[in-house]
Each structure stands twice: as structure tokens, then as C-alpha cells.
Amino acid sequence: MRLKRGLEQEGVETREMFSIYGRYTKGLATKEEMVLANKQFVEILKGLGVGVLLVLPFAPLTLPFVVKLGQRLGIDIIPSSFSDRED
């Protein structure tokens, strides 16, 4: 259920991001909207990075290691919709 909710949330946020970028091309997006769209773009890149890690051999071992290493270094590699933390 958590995965389903996370994917639904990412889908909604990504559609909104594309809508904002479309308005930006017409000169209709505000700076605040662009900040939100750019944050969502970063979330997509995080998801792609985790996806790459999942296809590597020994992913059940490497993914938790990379997440812990990222936490120690202060880098959040998990998209916010899949994170336990509330922003």
C-alpha cells in the first residue's frame, strides 16, 4: 500500500510539474511555481537513481548500504513520497 500511495503521489506531482513547465514556456508561471516544479524534477532524478541501483546485482545488499551512506553524508537519495519523514 505504501508503494501504491507513493507512486500515486509522484504521478500527481509530476503531472503538475509538466503543467508548470508548460506554463513557463508561455511566460505564465510564477517563480514560486518554478521552485515547486524544480523540486519535483529533483525527486524524479532521485527515483531514477534508486531505480538504477535496483537493477544492479546484489541490490538487496547494496541499496540499504547506499541509503545509510547517504544519510551519514547528509544526502537524501529516497524520493520524498517514499520517505517515512514528513516535510
Side-chain angles (χ1 to χ4, degrees), residues 52-66:
V52 167
L53 289 175
L54 288 174
V55 299
L56 292 175
F58 305 108
L61 300 174
T62 58
L63 187 59
F65 173 75
V66 170

Side-chain angles (χ1 to χ4, degrees), residues 10 12-24 29-45:
E10 283 295 317
V12 169
E13 292 172 353
T14 301
R15 282 190 291 278
E16 180 65 21
M17 177 194 74
F18 283 123
S19 172
I20 292 170
Y21 284 152
R23 288 195 309 269
Y24 176 76
T30 65
K31 287 186 179 190
E32 293 82 16
E33 288 176 325
M34 287 304 297
V35 168
L36 289 174
N38 291 336
K39 283 183 182 179
Q40 179 57 26
F41 185 68
V42 169
E43 293 293 319
I44 291 171
L45 293 177

